[in-house]
């Protein structure tokens, strides 16, 4: 096998026919400005070709279910391994998907509890065990004697009826089954609660669920069981009932009382019989284990947040929750934080009564996955945390945990900024894990901007030099040790025309502000009193207004709980008419100082490919009106609606204005293929004949924001809106780029642009969660200028951030911690960055101190 991955003639998106050689079994980092072509090379070329080749290697039968993937626009790739992509859009919003299910930990927990769990009666809590045939016979005799002793008339009670359940709640006619039982010598059965003779024709609906119980024997209630013959008759009846009833039988006494006994597990107190204990009994996705009232959701309904009263949010039926290991049921283990779950599993592994040959494999697999998540800063998450509530970075690292558990060798992993959401303290742990994955014999390609990760990698590829049409070239590629001098020494001049290397070598830096906006005594502030949402420890926090404020702390320290769950939800209810359930707090004071709140998050700007940057900022309305004013449009009678791809009239109706047609790929993500009628141009032929400055409406959509800004520079309103998009570093995006293809960081900056374009934004509070996601050092610099403009207008900006370049330029920092999860939720320090850097016990301050001194982070 070649020791290199050789790429020749890559032209996907903005890549300019590049050729490149990458070392195998190394950690390789792709860097460059946002939009320079990093993802186009890593995901759309290298990974896409690896995925295509894998599908092509399958049988024709398998390929018919997967469909056919188009070959990326590349001449040739040699030395390519099977590829696995771990990006930030891969986590599920299914309410049944949790941290434990994504990592397969829950699957191994189900096996563990099925093999080593100790059943207890859900009614009385008594520990129960399997019963032998002799014990079941003794239990029936005890029931018979009790009936004899309690008969008020002192006469022999009616027969004891022994039944074997052969069908339990299943649809079908069962004609042949009943006929077979008749031939086997049985004459009666209880069907759906009614006694039936098998000699008579029994007709059952195939569409209804039925329960069929064979009458095995009718034993006289006054029978003397001390007699060996009588006891033998009873024992034979029990053995027959257990044979046909799959280890379960039913006893009906004279007073119609029913008792269920099982050769598996039966409670001696109330004769509660367990079903077969197997892994599906612990699955909340299976009717066998799910709580029957909420069907395993844990809430009253799919769209409700109210806890299910039957299972108390635990998702499982009582029988499932009554099987314990070390006095804990499976729901209790799933509710643990990862660090606590790891400690619990290690205790079990040390217990020789539980840790046997049978449980060794599930315990080892669970331990490996928990250990990895603990190592990459996710120790604060609970295993039952819903996947939809995870950040992109958390979801990516969780998926990485399942890959680590598989221990594949010779694989190509392609990752998209795995350090997102990680505090600098936890970066080292993640990097160590990635290097271990490399050392197993895998190749790691990372699209990354984090300085620490770049320096720890083996090989660096910088793509640029600019973004969009100005990018797509290999600026520099080589071993990190040769490109970046050790010990933080600054070279006198740039070794290559690489802006990335200039930043890494400290030839270019994001400067400290010349003067911070001071927070004076009696400054206008928002005061949060007694916040206790999630892990917050009854904290009081003051947020100075008309300042750039950073909320910092390790992952899971309570930043989002404070800013989003408490602050935003309460303010949105007040100013936006929302009806959120705000996080618990005693009071929120200072509302008179603001009149609006905006949460500039990283959610998509639209849910369909029709949404794009032009429609979101309102530019498309003006562009359509411009086309409607052209002479050709007026002659044809075309109105602005003719140039809309959202409504019928001028769009291509075959693809309904999308330009593509979605093809479901069954086991793979949906693939979009070009519309064969409009050839991806979205409009019909007549609409495309109308031109403005020799450009039709489709050609306008294909322009980058930078090109459109130059094209419409004589139109003041468009010049302003497009200029703002250009300023925030989005000049490389196309005007008509589908919202579904935008990263979270790009969507966030588009929202910021829309806010900057508003005429009066004074007294607004802007909340941002990690706005530097996906941003190069130069793009961070542009972002800080934008945020500064918002503050200078009289607005307030609160940013949750780990990026030290953002933190060092803030006016005020609120550092939470000191740890994550239940060991966090406290205010560690507040003040300007210089104050935080001097605070003992602040992890943020420890790293901030180096940056303020000008040392590499």
């Amino acid at each position: 096998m070649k020791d290199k991955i050789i790429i020749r003639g890559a032209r996907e998106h903005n890549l300019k026919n590049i050729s490149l050689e990458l070392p195998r079994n190394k950690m390789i980092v792709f860097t460059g400005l946002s939009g320079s072509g990093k993802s186009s090379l890593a995901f759309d070329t290298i990974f896409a070709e690896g995925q295509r080749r894998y599908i092509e290697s399958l049988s024709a039968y398998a390929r018919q279910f997967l469909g056919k993937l188009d070959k990326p626009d590349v001449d040739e790739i040699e030395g390519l391994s099977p590829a696995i992509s771990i990006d930030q859009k891969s986590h599920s919003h299914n309410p049944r998907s949790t941290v434990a299910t994504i990592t397969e930990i829950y699957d191994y927990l189900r096996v563990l509890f099925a093999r080593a769990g100790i059943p207890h009666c859900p009614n009385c809590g008594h520990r129960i065990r399997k019963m032998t045939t002799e014990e079941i016979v003794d239990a029936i005799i005890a029931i018979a004697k009790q009936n004899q002793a309690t008969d008020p008339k002192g006469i022999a009670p009616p027969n004891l009826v022994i039944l074997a359940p052969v069908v339990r709640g299943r649809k079908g006619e069962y004609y042949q089954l009943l006929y077979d039982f008749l031939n086997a010598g049985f004459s009666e059965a209880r069907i759906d609660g009614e006694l039936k003779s098998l000699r008579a024709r029994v007709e059952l609906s195939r569409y209804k669920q039925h329960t069929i119980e064979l009458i095995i024997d009718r034993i006289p209630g006054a029978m003397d069981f001390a007699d060996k013959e009588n006891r033998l008759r009873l024992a034979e009846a029990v053995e027959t009932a257990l044979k046909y009833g799959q280890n379960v039988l039913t006893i009906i006494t004279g007073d119609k009382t029913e008792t269920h006994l099982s050769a598996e597990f039966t409670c001696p107190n109330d004769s509660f019989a367990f079903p077969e204990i197997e892994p599906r009994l612990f699955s909340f996705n299976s009717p066998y284990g799910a709580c029957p009232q909420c069907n395993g959701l844990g809430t009253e309904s799919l769209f409700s947040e109210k806890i299910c009263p039957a299972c108390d949010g635990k998702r499982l039926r009582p029988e499932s929750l009554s099987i314990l290991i070390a006095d804990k049921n499976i729901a209790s283990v799933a509710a643990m934080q990862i660090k606590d779950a790891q400690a619990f599993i290690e205790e079990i592994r040390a217990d020789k009564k539980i840790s046997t040959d049978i449980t060794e494999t599930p315990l080892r697999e669970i331990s490996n996955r928990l250990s990895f998540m603990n190592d990459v800063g996710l120790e604060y998450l609970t295993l039952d945390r819903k996947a939809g509530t995870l950040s992109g970075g958390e979801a990516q690292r969780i998926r990485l945990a399942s890959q680590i558990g598989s221990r594949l060798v010779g694989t190509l992993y392609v990752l998209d900024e795995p350090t997102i959401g990680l505090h600098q303290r936890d970066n080292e742990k993640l990097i160590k894990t990635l290097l271990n994955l490399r050392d197993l014999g895998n190749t790691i390609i990372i699209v990354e901007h984090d300085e620490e990760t770049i320096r720890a990698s083996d090989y660096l590829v910088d793509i640029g030099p600019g973004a969009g049409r100005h990018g797509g070239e290999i600026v520099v590629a080589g071993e990190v040790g040769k490109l970046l001098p050790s010990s933080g020494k600054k070279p006198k001049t740039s070794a290559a025309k690489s802006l990335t290397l200039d930043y890494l070598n400290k030839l270019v830096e994001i400067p400290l502000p010349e003067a911070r906006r001071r927070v004076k005594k009696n400054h206008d502030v928002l005061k949060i009193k007694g916040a206790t949402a999630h892990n917050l420890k009854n904290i009081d926090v003051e947020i100075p207004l008309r300042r750039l404020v950073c909320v910092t702390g390790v992952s899971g320290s309570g930043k989002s709980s404070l800013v989003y769950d408490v602050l935003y939800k309460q303010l949105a209810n007040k100013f936006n008419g929302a009806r959120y359930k705000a996080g618990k707090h005693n009071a929120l004071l200072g509302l008179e100082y603001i009149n609006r709140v905006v949460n500039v998050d990283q959610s998509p700007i639209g849910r369909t490919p029709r949404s794009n940057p032009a429609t979101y900022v309102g530019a498309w309305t003006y562009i359509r009106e411009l086309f409607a004013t052209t002479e050709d449009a007026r002659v044809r009678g075309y109105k602005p609606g003719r140039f809309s791809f959202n409504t019928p009239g001028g769009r291509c109706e075959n693809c309904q204005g999308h330009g593509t047609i979605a093809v479901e790929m069954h086991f793979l993500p949906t693939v979009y293929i070009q519309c064969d009628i409009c050839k991806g141009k979205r409009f019909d032929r007549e609409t495309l004949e109308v031109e403005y400055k020799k450009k039709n409406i489709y050609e306008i959509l294909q322009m980058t924001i930078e090109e459109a800004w130059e094209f419409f520079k004589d139109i003041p309103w468009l010049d302003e809106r497009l200029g703002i998009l250009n300023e925030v570093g989005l000049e490389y995006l196309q005007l008509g780029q589908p919202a579904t293809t935008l990263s979270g960081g790009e969507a966030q900056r588009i929202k910021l642009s829309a806010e900057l374009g508003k005429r009066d934004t004074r007294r607004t509070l802007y909340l941002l969660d990690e706005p530097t996601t996906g941003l190069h050092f130069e793009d961070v610099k542009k972002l800080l200028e934008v945020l500064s403009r918002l503050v200078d207008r009289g607005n307030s900006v609160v940013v949750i951030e780990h990026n030290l370049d953002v933190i060092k330029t803030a006016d005020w920092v609120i550092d939470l911690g000191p740890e994550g999860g239940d060991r966090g939720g406290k205010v560690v320090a507040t003040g300007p960055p210089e104050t935080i850097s001097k605070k003992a016990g602040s992890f943020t301050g420890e790293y901030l101190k180096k940056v303020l001194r000008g040392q590499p982070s």
Side-chain angles (χ1 to χ4, degrees), residues 6 148 234 284 429 508 566 799:
I6 303 173
Q148 293 170 2
L234 178 60
F284 45 77
K429 297 177 182 178
V508 180
V566 176
V799 179

Side-chain angles (χ1 to χ4, degrees), residues 529-586:
K529 297 284 189 180
T532 56
H534 302 306
N535 68 328
L536 297 178
K537 304 291 195 300
N538 195 31
I539 60 174
D540 297 337
V541 178
E542 292 189 359
I543 301 172
L545 299 175
R546 295 182 297 283
R547 299 290 183 267
L548 174 58
V549 178
C550 269
V551 180
T552 63
V554 299
S555 304
S557 59
K559 303 182 296 296
S560 295
S561 297
L562 178 69
V563 174
Y564 180 74
D565 292 324
V566 176
L567 182 61
Y568 172 69
K569 288 185 176 180
Q570 186 66 32
L571 292 177
N573 292 343
K574 166 74 174 177
F575 297 115
N576 303 347
R579 301 180 65 181
Y580 292 121
K581 184 179 179 181
K584 291 183 179 180
H585 64 287
N586 294 334

Side-chain angles (χ1 to χ4, degrees), residues 690-752:
V690 178
E691 294 184 344
Y692 174 81
K693 290 186 178 181
K694 299 182 179 181
K695 298 280 188 183
N696 64 33
I697 195 72
Y698 167 72
E699 290 170 330
I700 297 295
L701 281 171
Q702 291 299 102
M703 286 183 174
T704 65
I705 288 169
E706 181 183 24
E707 291 168 339
W709 186 36
E710 296 171 1
F711 186 78
F712 292 111
K713 63 183 178 182
D714 296 330
I715 313 297
W717 198 94
L718 286 174
D719 176 68
E720 181 184 355
R721 291 296 189 278
L722 297 174
I724 293 172
L725 285 169
N726 203 62
E727 288 177 35
V728 298
L730 296 175
E731 70 279 0
Y732 59 92
L733 293 181
Q734 291 179 325
L735 276 184
Q737 186 159 333
T740 52
T741 67
L742 298 172
S743 70
E746 288 167 341
Q748 192 174 40
R749 280 179 285 159
I750 290 173
K751 294 175 185 178
L752 268 178

Side-chain angles (χ1 to χ4, degrees), residues 36-325:
S36 61
K38 304 182 299 298
S39 295
S40 296
L41 180 59
F43 290 95
D44 301 329
T45 302
I46 298 174
F47 168 70
E49 177 63 5
Q51 185 184 42
R52 187 190 69 83
R53 290 185 188 180
Y54 168 71
I55 290 177
E56 289 297 318
S57 72
L58 300 176
S59 67
Y61 177 79
R63 290 202 303 272
Q64 70 175 328
F65 298 106
L66 298 173
K68 183 179 180 180
L69 295 181
D70 292 332
K71 185 179 186 298
D73 193 0
V74 60
D75 291 338
E76 185 180 17
I77 303 181
E78 295 181 10
L80 192 60
S81 304
I84 294 174
S85 164
I86 305 178
D87 58 26
Q88 296 165 36
K89 298 180 181 179
S90 53
H91 63 295
S92 169
H93 290 277
N94 188 325
R96 296 181 182 275
S97 183
T98 66
V99 170
T101 60
I102 295 171
T103 56
E104 301 174 353
I105 287 174
Y106 197 76
D107 295 328
Y108 287 109
L109 280 175
R110 292 195 294 123
V111 173
L112 178 65
F113 272 82
R115 299 292 176 262
I118 298 174
H120 292 68
C121 176
N123 299 324
C124 67
H126 191 279
R127 176 176 175 175
I128 55 182
R129 57 185 178 84
K130 291 184 178 182
M131 295 180 71
T132 64
T133 303
E134 286 298 312
E135 288 174 324
I136 292 175
V137 170
D138 290 338
I140 295 174
I141 292 173
I143 292 170
K145 289 181 177 179
Q146 185 178 6
N147 286 343
Q148 293 170 2
T150 56
D151 181 32
K153 298 181 180 179
I155 60 176
N159 297 339
L160 291 172
V161 183
I162 301 178
L163 305 91
V166 293
V167 174
R168 285 178 270 187
R170 295 203 307 268
K171 294 179 181 179
E173 294 178 323
Y174 298 108
Y175 176 80
Q176 185 63 46
L177 180 70
L178 296 175
Y179 183 76
D180 290 342
F181 285 142
L182 178 62
N183 288 339
F186 297 100
S187 60
E188 288 182 284
R190 187 169 69 163
I191 303 176
D192 298 334
E194 295 183 15
L195 288 176
K196 304 277 187 180
S197 171
L198 296 181
R199 294 185 176 85
R201 183 175 178 85
V202 180
E203 295 185 5
L204 301 177
S205 170
R206 71 169 66 183
Y207 304 109
K208 289 185 177 180
Q209 292 182 341
H210 302 291
T211 297
I212 301 174
E213 298 163 294
L214 283 176
I215 305 298
I216 303 298
D217 200 354
R218 295 177 181 273
I219 296 178
M223 179 180 283
D224 181 10
F225 291 105
D227 183 83
K228 289 184 179 180
E229 292 295 326
N230 291 341
R231 184 179 177 91
L232 180 59
R233 173 183 171 180
L234 178 60
E236 289 177 348
V238 167
E239 288 179 354
T240 303
L242 293 176
K243 173 185 174 183
Y244 285 97
Q246 296 180 337
N247 289 329
V248 177
L249 58 82
T250 301
I251 305 297
I252 303 178
T253 59
D255 60 356
K256 306 300 182 184
T257 299
E258 293 190 18
T259 302
H260 305 284
L261 298 173
S262 168
E264 292 297 324
F265 296 98
T266 305
C267 178
N269 294 340
D270 53 23
S271 298
F272 173 85
F274 255 96
E276 183 181 357
I277 298 178
E278 55 178 308
R280 66 174 178 161
L281 181 64
F282 305 97
S283 172
F284 45 77
N285 291 320
S286 164
Y288 197 76
C291 166
Q293 183 162 326
C294 68
N295 295 317
L297 286 171
T299 55
E300 289 186 348
S301 70
L302 183 62
F303 304 103
S304 171
E305 293 185 2
K306 292 184 178 179
I307 299 298
C308 170
C311 64
D312 195 27
K314 295 176 181 177
R315 300 181 173 222
L316 297 169
R317 59 175 64 245
E319 298 94 313
S320 311
L321 297 171
S322 298
I323 299 173
L324 311 180
I325 293 179

